[in-house]
Amino acid sequence: MRAGKTASLILAMIVTAVGAALPPLAAALPWTASLGPSTRFALVAGVLGLVTLALLMPVGASLDRTVDRLRSYLESTGSSDGKPRRFYGPKWGRPLTRAFTSAVDQFRQREQMLTNELRQVEIRCSVSEAEQRQTEAVLHALRDAVLVTNAFGDIVVANEAAGQILDFDPAQAIHRPLEEFVRDKRFCQLVSDTAETANFAERRHIEHEISVTVKEGGKSRIEPRVFDVTIACIEDHKHEVAGVVTILHDLTRVREISQLKSDFVSKASHELRTPLASIRAYVEMLVDGEADDEDARREFYLIMQNETDRLGRLIDNMLNISRIEAGIVQIERENVDFKSLIDRAVNTLEPQAREKKISLLTKLSEVDLTVEGDGDMLHQVVLNLVSNAIKYTPDGGRITISADSDNLTRCIVFSVSDTGLGIPPDAMDRLFEKFYRIENYKRVAKGTGLGLSLCKHIVETLHHGQIGVESELGLGSRFWVLIPMRYAGSQAAA
Ligand code: ADP
């Protein structure tokens, strides 16, 4: 049974009980005087109960219906179709529904507003997350170390380079004191001094040497490196010190390059000065009339011609090397037959070898020895190596030139072996350096010290091959070259 009807029934029962219990009520009914007290009680209770029930039952049923309508109205108002509905119930329910509808409308507007705000916050969140990821990616990709500390001297930002240079794990160091992670006391002092100055306008540049742990092939070693430290104070909205930002830029390589450049210039000028001085001396002697007969003059002219050739070779080699190093050399790619390169070189150098009674042997494989490369440059490599072998092999020696293909590496293997002076172990690592010449051999043969360096550039930089040497002092040397049969990489020099 529904709540309205139940309430009517309960009310009727209460009225029945109360009515029956009231003796004056029964006494007021004269026609009940002949009845006994219990019959009168039952009669009065019954009549009262029935009358009350008859009166209250419709009210209860109507109440139930109104509650049903109200419920269905409220349920439909709460649904999201958004249209206001008409309330088909008694009039007294209408103010209630109106109040409820406006409350629901307000809630709905508020909900809409909050949903929009939430969406905006979500968008802003994902944009700032993406920006943060981008900034972190940029920071970590930087080769310069970036380190930011807050006003309390705790690390707040540190990229990978900072971790590598200052030897700490950036992930563990965040929000921890700088001194706890960075062992370089001078660097820590620099950061705290900058924070104390509270000078926001100045960005200081300091040169600072740091002992960096370099990890290579599973081993680590300490290497002193010079850094350009840029350090500045960060200001907060209250114009107070928010922290310090430090950027470390490695100057070691720049220094090395400028050292190499000045070494090159001083060596080049030294090498150029030697033949020039010689030419000048002979010119002066000729001018002073010191060569009085034709034979002496001819000898002077020949010496001057040799020195001029040497000067020309020096300048050509220097130019070639620096052009390759600068990456402006284009190689003329063509099919180069190594056999004919070797034949050409042997033909050119045969007279020199014969003069020293050196036998020139060639051991060329039957297979195709064609590579994709620059014929003129590769010819220069063959010529340099064979000419060196002749220069540094005593009279009566033997030189073997061999070439074969290596199917595993898809390379041509070319080598020049001699029974010459050999190379001292301490010179092995420096042999391909510019201007390097073994001191004791300077008297043995004239040279520029640039031939092997040029060979290395032609083979490795321009043809992506390899060049090396094996030697035993006093017994001879074997220079070997690997050139890929197919040219890999771009045309321009790396
Ligand atoms: P150079 O013009 O002096 O020959 P290179 O760069 O060709 O210059 O060679 C550098 C140095 O390497 C030479 O000066 C010489 O001391 C040494 N060298 C080169 N080839 C040989 C070789 N086959 N045997 C011994 N020493 C060699």
Side-chain angles (χ1 to χ4, degrees):
M1 197 182 294
R2 307 292 313 278
K5 288 178 186 164
T6 314
S8 318
L9 198 67
I10 292 167
L11 214 62
M13 283 164 69
I14 293 167
V15 169
T16 309
V18 171
L22 287 174
L25 193 66
L29 303 169
W31 47 272
T32 60
S34 57
L35 301 174
S38 56
T39 318
R40 197 191 304 155
F41 167 76
L43 189 72
V44 171
V47 170
L48 271 174
L50 281 173
V51 170
T52 316
L53 208 57
L55 287 172
L56 289 182
M57 226 18 168
V59 177
S62 154
L63 205 65
D64 281 342
R65 270 199 307 283
T66 310
V67 168
D68 278 348
R69 280 182 194 148
L70 250 173
R71 187 185 295 134
S72 82
Y73 174 84
L74 297 182
E75 277 169 6
S76 68
T77 312
S79 72
S80 59
D81 65 359
K83 289 177 197 153
R85 297 229 177 163
R86 221 176 117 80
F87 176 65
Y88 297 101
K91 275 190 182 159
W92 57 264
R94 284 183 194 159
L96 195 66
T97 60
R98 268 201 298 279
F100 184 80
T101 311
S102 95
V104 166
D105 281 348
Q106 279 176 14
F107 279 129
R108 205 176 272 151
Q109 280 171 12
R110 184 107 187 94
E111 184 204 8
Q112 192 61 46
M113 236 167 65
L114 287 174
T115 312
N116 289 345
E117 272 175 26
L118 184 69
R119 215 165 284 153
Q120 279 177 12
V121 170
E122 277 172 358
I123 291 168
R124 255 182 265 141
C125 256
S126 56
V127 168
S128 70
E129 269 174 20
E131 281 174 356
Q132 192 184 341
R133 273 198 300 275
Q134 266 176 14
T135 317
E136 277 174 6
V138 171
L139 266 181
H140 288 297
L142 280 179
R143 289 177 66 169
D144 287 352
V146 180
L147 190 107
V148 183
T149 50
N150 63 15
F152 309 104
D154 295 340
I155 297 170
V156 282
V157 174
N159 67 354
E160 271 167 35
Q164 271 166 19
I165 292 164
L166 296 163
D167 199 19
F168 67 88
D169 179 1
Q172 284 183 7
I174 298 300
H175 303 304
R176 306 289 297 275
L178 181 72
E179 284 85 0
E180 203 179 293
F181 285 86
V182 176
R183 276 172 289 144
D184 190 318
K185 296 286 164 246
R186 225 198 112 203
F187 177 80
C188 297
Q189 191 63 46
L190 205 64
V191 174
S192 59
D193 286 353
T194 307
E196 272 169 30
T197 60
N199 185 347
F200 306 114
E202 194 193 29
R203 187 193 291 164
R204 288 202 290 163
H205 283 274
I206 295 144
E207 228 167 73
H208 178 53
E209 191 180 298
I210 298 175
S211 301
V212 178
T213 312
V214 183
K215 290 183 182 107
E216 237 171 38
K219 286 183 188 164
S220 54
R221 64 193 151 83
I222 306 280
E223 217 178 63
R225 289 204 190 157
V226 181
F227 289 90
D228 169 40
V229 183
T230 308
I231 193 159
C233 245
I234 321 169
E235 188 179 7
D236 68 8
H237 61 283
K238 290 185 218 151
H239 306 294
E240 283 171 7
V241 178
V244 173
V245 61
T246 317
I247 299 163
L248 298 161
H249 178 68
D250 195 346
L251 294 176
T252 319
R253 188 79 195 117
V254 179
R255 290 280 159 85
E256 275 172 11
I257 290 168
S258 79
Q259 185 59 42
L260 282 175
K261 272 186 193 159
S262 61
D263 284 357
F264 180 79
V265 171
S266 70
K267 280 178 186 168
S269 33
H270 173 76
E271 292 299 324
L272 290 171
R273 202 175 288 134
T274 317
L276 259 181
S278 165
I279 294 167
R280 184 188 291 144
Y282 282 100
V283 169
E284 277 171 10
M285 282 196 276
L286 284 169
V287 171
D288 294 347
E290 282 179 37
D292 32 35
D293 62 76
E294 192 52 38
D295 284 351
R297 273 200 295 275
R298 194 175 155 67
E299 194 194 329
F300 283 10
Y301 292 141
L302 273 177
I303 293 171
M304 281 159 62
Q305 190 184 26
N306 278 341
E307 292 298 341
T308 324
D309 287 349
R310 186 162 169 240
L311 255 182
R313 274 201 310 277
L314 249 172
I315 292 167
D316 282 350
N317 282 349
M318 265 164 34
L319 276 177
N320 283 337
I321 291 173
S322 60
R323 282 170 67 222
I324 296 173
E325 281 180 346
I328 51 172
V329 171
Q330 294 277 311
I331 76 163
E332 298 290 332
R333 194 152 37 123
E334 55 186 339
N335 283 334
V336 183
D337 178 16
F338 245 86
K339 286 179 191 169
S340 57
L341 277 192
I342 293 167
D343 283 346
R344 262 170 70 200
V346 168
N347 282 340
T348 315
L349 297 169
E350 187 88 72
Q352 277 182 39
R354 209 179 309 124
E355 224 172 84
K356 289 180 80 178
K357 297 185 184 61
I358 292 171
S359 52
L360 274 183
L361 304 173
T362 47
K363 276 192 193 168
L364 307 180
S365 161
E366 291 296 309
V367 297
D368 177 31
L369 296 178
T370 309
V371 294
E372 230 173 64
D374 187 309
D376 286 343
M377 290 197 184
L378 291 175
H379 178 241
Q380 184 135 26
V381 172
V382 177
L383 210 61
N384 265 338
L385 295 183
V386 180
S387 123
N388 274 353
I390 296 172
K391 281 198 297 188
Y392 301 104
T393 298
D395 291 8
R398 193 180 62 248
I399 293 169
T400 313
I401 306 160
S402 31
D404 202 346
S405 71
D406 181 7
N407 285 335
L408 202 71
T409 53
R410 306 280 304 137
C411 282
I412 294 292
V413 188
F414 159 73
S415 68
V416 180
S417 312
D418 62 53
T419 54
L421 302 174
I423 292 150
D426 60 325
M428 292 290 271
D429 287 347
R430 303 196 53 199
L431 216 58
F432 294 92
E433 276 178 22
K434 282 192 275 280
F435 299 113
Y436 181 76
R437 301 180 70 198
I438 298 167
E439 200 53 49
N440 292 343
Y441 300 175
K442 281 185 181 170
R443 277 173 284 116
V444 176
K446 283 187 176 164
T448 60
L450 290 174
L452 288 180
S453 170
L454 183 63
C455 288
K456 192 175 173 71
H457 274 95
I458 292 175
V459 171
E460 297 190 350
T461 314
L462 296 181
H463 289 84
H464 308 294
Q466 264 177 287
I467 189 166
V469 60
E470 294 145 9
S471 180
E472 225 169 296
L473 193 59
L475 292 179
S477 320
R478 178 178 174 265
F479 282 84
W480 54 264
V481 169
L482 293 181
I483 302 277
M485 291 178 201
R486 292 283 148 259
Y487 179 75
S490 67
Q491 284 269 73

